[in-house]
Amino acid sequence: AQSVAQPEDQVNVAEGNPLTVKCTYSVSGNPYLFWYVQYPNRGLQFLLKYITGDNLVKGSYGFEAEFNKSQTSFHLKKPSALVSDSALYFCAVRADQTGANNLFFGTGTRLTVIP
Amino acid sequence: DAGITQSPRHKVTETGTPVTLRCHQTENHRYMYWYRQDPGHGLRLIHYSYGVKDTDKGEVSDGYSVSRSKTEDFLLTLESATSSQTSVYFCATRQGLSTDTQYFGPGTRLTVL
């Protein structure tokens, strides 16, 4: 079985401060991990993914994520938050290696960046 | 949004009526997905398609059916809508077997009274 946990429903951070949005996963075999962002009244937008290789993955809009196999975590980070980063963030794990590529999503974390 | 449109964008209907939501893509992607988004649940997969006329069930498929007669269109039908199907529905596509990223449409907000 595959699952993703986002332990924080809401994260608040001051503009200019570093931000972290947490994600832990459970999956059989090697994990394929993703972060998506959802702005109000919009569909999800792809931010970054980890498939293999370097544990630090860089993505869109200055975001990065660190894969930690021993802690089964894939936390999203950004060195300096912008007010425009305020959105709903979803972590997702790929379900299998057979090609159907079904994703299991976490429940989402709402990030608010305070001016 | 990778050339993905959904129609209608908003719909209010009554319990017991059939409803069809349409997803249209212009990217010639092989895979298409239907998700529902609910507070506290994130996104959950309803059905997916891996080619024309090839579909399979997802995590929450009860009460839903799908059809894909053309590469570009993926229809989701609620056979007899219930209030528990009030949700926001998202379509997504993925290019092919060797790619991982899914691209999402803008969503359809469905209210069942």
Side-chain angles (χ1 to χ4, degrees):
Chain A
Q2 295 78 29
S3 66
V4 169
Q6 294 182 242
E8 301 160 318
D9 292 336
Q10 174 82 42
V11 170
N12 297 326
V13 63
E15 186 177 22
N17 282 4
L19 69 87
T20 299
V21 182
K22 296 179 180 178
C23 172
T24 59
Y25 67 89
S26 174
V27 65
S28 302
N30 295 321
Y32 287 37
L33 295 157
F34 302 79
W35 276 103
Y36 282 82
V37 60
Q38 185 180 29
Y39 298 102
N41 300 313
R42 299 287 300 275
L44 277 68
Q45 297 179 28
F46 170 76
L47 271 182
L48 52 80
K49 64 182 178 183
Y50 171 83
I51 304 299
T52 187
D54 194 347
N55 289 344
L56 186 64
V57 179
K58 295 189 182 296
S60 306
Y61 313 121
F63 284 93
E64 57 190 26
E66 186 170 10
F67 171 65
N68 187 316
K69 187 173 183 177
S70 63
Q71 297 185 4
T72 62
S73 67
F74 189 56
H75 299 332
L76 182 70
K77 300 181 180 184
K78 187 173 182 181
S80 178
L82 300 172
V83 172
S84 58
D85 293 330
S86 299
L88 188 56
Y89 290 82
F90 290 96
C91 182
V93 64
R94 179 173 168 178
D96 58 52
Q97 315 302 316
T98 61
N101 195 31
N102 297 345
L103 294 179
F104 281 86
F105 285 85
T107 53
T109 299
R110 186 166 300 281
L111 173 68
T112 300
V113 181
I114 302 165
Chain B
D1 292 333
I4 304 168
T5 57
Q6 293 184 231
S7 59
R9 292 294 313 279
H10 301 271
K11 185 170 182 66
V12 180
T13 191
E14 294 186 350
T15 298
T17 60
V19 176
T20 295
L21 308 183
R22 180 183 184 233
C23 177
H24 179 78
Q25 57 130 338
T26 58
E27 303 296 319
N28 200 35
H29 286 180
R30 177 181 172 186
Y31 293 87
M32 298 185 76
Y33 305 82
W34 277 108
Y35 293 91
R36 59 178 289 174
Q37 183 180 20
D38 303 290
H41 291 279
L43 273 77
R44 292 178 291 175
L45 182 65
I46 305 171
H47 281 280
Y48 65 97
S49 169
Y50 46 96
V52 173
K53 298 195 170 123
D54 292 322
T55 66
D56 206 346
K57 296 179 179 180
E59 184 184 2
V60 290
S61 59
D62 287 349
Y64 302 94
S65 62
V66 290
S67 65
R68 192 168 178 202
S69 59
K70 298 185 290 185
T71 297
E72 57 265 36
D73 289 326
F74 192 33
L75 303 181
L76 176 71
T77 297
L78 287 64
E79 294 139 10
S80 177
T82 67
S83 58
S84 64
Q85 294 176 312
T86 293
S87 187
V88 180
Y89 292 86
F90 287 99
C91 174
T93 70
R94 177 169 72 97
Q95 182 176 5
L97 195 63
S98 61
T99 60
D100 298 289
T101 302
Q102 292 186 21
Y103 298 92
F104 285 79
T108 294
R109 184 173 295 277
L110 176 67
T111 301
V112 183
L113 302 176

